[in-house]
């Protein structure tokens, strides 16, 4: 096991990882920018190193400063959290060259999944169902036209270097195709320095369902069921739940087994998420994330498994703590992302939290680094905490969530709490009847009255 882990992140996830390391009896080091000197995780860590000024590129993205902090403190492993350097293959390679363990997959596996064409090709080879479309990049418009007419319109043009919704264009008919290809190519070239694009059948009203996996890097892997992350705005998830209200037990174990087998065959090490669009009873792979995700606690709630413990165990060579047949899914969990943002416009609202009071009681978890008097820096994302609620079934979970939202107090800044108080009383949400477009449609429909 590791002696000392360096946490290369900030906010609630730095605290989340710190808690897991402490439980495992591992010493903790955090790195932070000057803007985060008074953060909760900095106070709770055994050691801290200031690595630079507020802008991320000069601190949380500064690989050399982070490696230097490892050398100075004698850390033998780095947990990258999510965002920042968590899916940076070069960072994983550089740590390996310094004999420091990156708590995550190999640089090569990160690289494969970062290239969306290569990721899709790999998924297909491993037996994961993919969206019908081009085999790899489309280089000329005639070829694109041939593929599009074969699979049928509408189609979507995606950037290979994109992901998370960047560099996508929908073509509803053949007339739209040349413009969709040209814009997707030029946007991808400008944004990523790589103008490779591919084509897929466009799914009109899918749900976003993702499967949590963990591999031991030696040919064994488990799945921990799925999360439904369809409630999103501009590709920012807002509300996530496990299980998906749309799946039955047979679909759950079928897709889970496909994913765990694929990850075992790949020899993947660490936690990962395989993302699907789900429509009319079919799953279609879109991307794989090679990191721990923001919404991982809903999976922890229904399985009782600590995903960060598993990440650390696997990275240290200790293997997985559970076999697939020992994993039982129990009840239902929902996560609400509490952002310091206007609840209608989502405009960031940094400032000082004058009063912070979190709900408690059975089935309630709050992951947050915030406290009364905490000043939210304006330099980073606006997530100030996550409310995760568990119940024996979805109805109990929703009742408990409504009560927890009533108890939650965040004064001094605007937050997304009022949005959740509204959603928990909505009939479609109560019925689990929503797709990836539901929230944006709802916000547009209720804009005048809000
Ligand atoms: C799609 C799609 C429809 N059809 N692919 C957006 C993010 C990126 N990960 C993939 N995305 C989409 N790919 C096909 N073939 C619709 C989306 C999409 C979306 C997906 C998941 C969650 C929210 C979304 C919002 C808009 C579009």
């Amino acid at each position: 096991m590791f002696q000392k882990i360096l946490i290369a992140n900030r906010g609630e996830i730095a605290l989340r990882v710190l808690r897991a390391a402490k439980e495992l009896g591992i010493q903790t080091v955090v790195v932070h920018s000057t803007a985060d000197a008074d953060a909760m995780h900095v106070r709770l860590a055994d050691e801290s190193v200031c690595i630079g000024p507020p802008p991320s590129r000069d601190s949380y993205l500064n690989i050399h400063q982070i490696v230097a902090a490892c050398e100075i403190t004698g850390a033998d492993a780095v947990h990258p959290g999510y965002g920042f350097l968590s899916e940076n293959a070069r960072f994983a390679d550089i740590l390996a060259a310094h004999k420091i363990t990156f708590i995550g997959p190999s640089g090569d596996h990160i690289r494969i999944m970062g290239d969306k064409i290569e990721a899709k090709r790999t998924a297909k080879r491993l037996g994961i169902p993919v969206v019908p479309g081009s085999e790899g990049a489309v280089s000329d418009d005639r070829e694109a036209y041939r593929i599009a007419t074969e699979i049928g319109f509408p189609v979507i043009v995606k950037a290979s270097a994109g992901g998370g919704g960047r560099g996508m264009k929908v073509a509803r008919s053949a007339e739209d195709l040349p413009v969709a290809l040209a814009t997707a190519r030029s946007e991808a070239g400008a944004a990523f320095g790589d103008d490779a694009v591919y084509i897929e059948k466009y799914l009109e009203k899918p749900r976003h369902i993702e499967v949590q996996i963990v591999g031991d890097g030696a040919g064994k892997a488990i799945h921990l069921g799925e999360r439904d992350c369809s409630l999103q705005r501009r590709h920012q998830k807002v509300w996530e739940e496990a299980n998906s209200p749309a799946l039955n037990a047979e679909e759950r174990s079928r897709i889970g087994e496909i994913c765990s087998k694929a990850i075992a065959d790949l020899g993947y090490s660490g936690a990962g998420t395989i993302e699907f669009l789900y429509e009319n009873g079919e799953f279609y792979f879109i991307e794989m994330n090679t990191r721990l995700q923001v919404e991982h606690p809903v999976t922890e709630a229904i399985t009782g498994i600590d995903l960060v413990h598993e990440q650390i165990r696997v990275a240290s060579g200790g293997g997985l703590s559970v076999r697939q047949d020992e994993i039982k899914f129990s009840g239902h969990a929902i996560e609400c992302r509490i952002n310091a943002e206007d609840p209608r416009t989502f405009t960031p609202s940094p400032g000082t939290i004058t009063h912070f009071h979190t709900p408690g009681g059975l089935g309630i978890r709050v992951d947050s680094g915030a406290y009364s008097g905490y000043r939210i820096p304006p330099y980073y994302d606006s997530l100030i905490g996550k409310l995760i609620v568990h119940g024996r079934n979805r109805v109990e979970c929703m009742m408990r969530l409504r009560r927890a939202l009533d108890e939650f107090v965040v004064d001094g800044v605007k937050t997304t709490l009022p949005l959740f108080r509204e959603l928990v009383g909505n009939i479609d949400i109560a019925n689990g009847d929503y797709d990836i477009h539901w929230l944006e449609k709802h916000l547009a429909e209720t804009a005048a009255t809000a």
Side-chain angles (χ1 to χ4, degrees):
M1 188 45 79
F2 305 121
Q3 296 287 311
K4 196 184 271 192
I5 290 178
L6 183 142
I7 300 163
N9 214 296
R10 62 178 304 282
E12 68 86 20
I13 196 63
L15 190 54
R16 166 71 188 88
V17 173
L18 187 119
R19 286 171 172 153
K22 284 198 171 190
E23 286 166 6
L24 294 172
I26 301 167
Q27 292 288 302
T28 54
V29 182
V30 298
V31 289
H32 64 89
S33 72
T34 54
D36 284 334
D38 52 7
M40 184 62 82
H41 68 277
V42 177
R43 295 193 208 179
L44 293 179
D46 296 307
E47 293 171 77
S48 63
V49 181
C50 182
I51 52 166
S56 303
R57 90 184 75 82
D58 302 320
S59 50
Y60 297 105
L61 293 173
N62 189 330
I63 292 176
H64 296 293
Q65 283 286 74
I66 293 166
V67 172
C70 289
E71 305 280 354
I72 290 163
T73 59
D76 45 9
V78 172
H79 195 299
Y82 51 66
F84 296 126
L85 295 169
S86 62
E87 292 180 289
N88 186 309
R90 198 169 67 88
F91 182 52
D93 289 344
I94 289 171
L95 288 177
H98 283 80
K99 305 266 184 284
I100 301 163
T101 304
F102 176 75
I103 301 175
S106 67
D108 288 341
H109 283 153
I110 297 174
R111 220 169 261 115
I112 288 170
M113 297 306 167
D115 177 322
K116 303 306 159 189
I117 289 175
E118 198 53 39
K120 192 174 175 184
R121 189 179 287 132
T122 303
K124 193 172 178 182
R125 175 172 63 77
L126 293 168
I128 297 173
V130 302
V131 194
S134 58
E135 296 274 339
V138 284
S139 39
D140 72 282
D141 286 23
R142 283 179 50 101
E143 183 197 358
Y145 176 77
R146 186 182 52 75
I147 293 160
T149 47
E150 209 172 277
I151 60 179
F153 286 93
V155 298
I156 184 166
V157 184
K158 295 182 174 182
S160 187
R166 297 168 310 161
M168 308 189 317
K169 287 284 168 284
V170 177
R172 298 234 150 245
S173 67
E175 295 84 81
D176 297 344
L177 194 55
V179 175
L181 285 163
T183 9
R185 276 200 197 104
S186 82
E187 282 182 16
F192 319 116
D194 172 1
D195 69 357
V197 298
Y198 61 109
I199 294 187
E200 285 182 348
K201 175 83 188 164
Y202 179 68
L203 303 172
E204 298 275 5
K205 288 176 174 219
R207 298 179 78 114
H208 173 129
I209 296 179
E210 55 184 37
V211 176
Q212 177 71 55
I213 56 83
V214 189
D216 73 352
K220 284 202 195 70
I222 53 171
H223 76 84
L224 295 101
E226 84 286 1
R227 297 181 286 261
D228 196 315
C229 307
S230 301
L231 288 174
Q232 58 83 40
R233 177 188 177 268
R234 299 193 185 168
H235 305 292
Q236 292 296 314
K237 292 167 186 167
V238 168
W239 160 306
E240 305 99 347
E241 45 187 312
N243 305 314
S244 169
L247 298 194
N248 59 41
E250 186 274 322
E251 290 174 299
R252 174 165 307 117
S253 59
R254 179 168 57 86
I255 197 65
E257 277 161 30
I258 288 171
C259 290
S260 54
K261 182 179 183 302
I263 287 308
D265 291 350
L266 189 60
Y268 184 87
S269 175
T273 300
I274 307 185
E275 294 189 343
F276 294 93
L277 297 178
Y278 174 82
E279 195 174 70
N280 300 326
E282 300 287 339
F283 290 93
Y284 303 95
F285 171 91
I286 44 171
E287 294 175 16
M288 176 169 175
N289 299 319
T290 55
R291 59 166 193 278
L292 186 71
Q293 292 198 247
V294 177
E295 60 273 23
H296 76 277
V298 292
T299 298
E300 296 184 325
I302 64 159
T303 61
I305 294 167
D306 186 313
L307 282 165
V308 182
H309 282 192
E310 295 305 312
Q311 286 188 296
I312 293 170
R313 283 182 61 108
V314 161
S316 71
L320 294 160
S321 78
V322 283
R323 295 188 314 263
Q324 189 68 53
D325 63 9
E326 295 172 320
I327 300 172
K328 299 280 175 278
F329 300 102
S330 169
H332 194 90
I334 296 174
E335 173 178 279
C336 297
R337 296 192 188 191
I338 318 296
N339 288 346
E341 290 173 352
D342 182 289
R344 300 304 300 189
T345 63
F346 299 87
T347 308
S349 176
T352 299
I353 297 176
T354 54
H355 195 76
F356 190 72
H357 177 82
T358 58
L362 182 61
I364 306 294
R365 167 176 174 182
V366 177
D367 276 19
S368 176
Y371 52 86
S372 293
Y374 175 66
R375 192 156 40 82
I376 304 163
Y379 309 100
Y380 313 107
D381 74 20
S382 53
L383 185 75
I384 54 169
K386 307 183 302 204
L387 169 62
I388 304 102
V389 177
H390 184 236
R392 287 172 300 174
N393 51 55
R394 193 166 183 273
V395 170
E396 187 176 72
C397 184
M398 290 281 282
M399 293 182 346
R400 204 166 267 163
L401 174 58
R402 184 195 300 259
R403 187 273 294 170
L405 288 165
D406 280 344
E407 275 182 42
F408 216 132
V409 179
V410 184
D411 288 341
V413 295
K414 291 183 189 172
T415 75
T416 45
L417 279 166
L419 172 66
F420 295 118
R421 293 185 184 122
E422 181 193 330
L423 292 179
V424 80
N426 179 279
I427 185 71
D428 289 342
I429 302 302
N431 291 331
D433 184 13
Y434 56 80
D435 59 37
I436 60 170
H437 304 296
W438 188 94
L439 182 60
E440 287 178 10
K441 221 175 288 166
H442 172 80
L443 292 167
E445 283 165 8
T446 55
T449 54

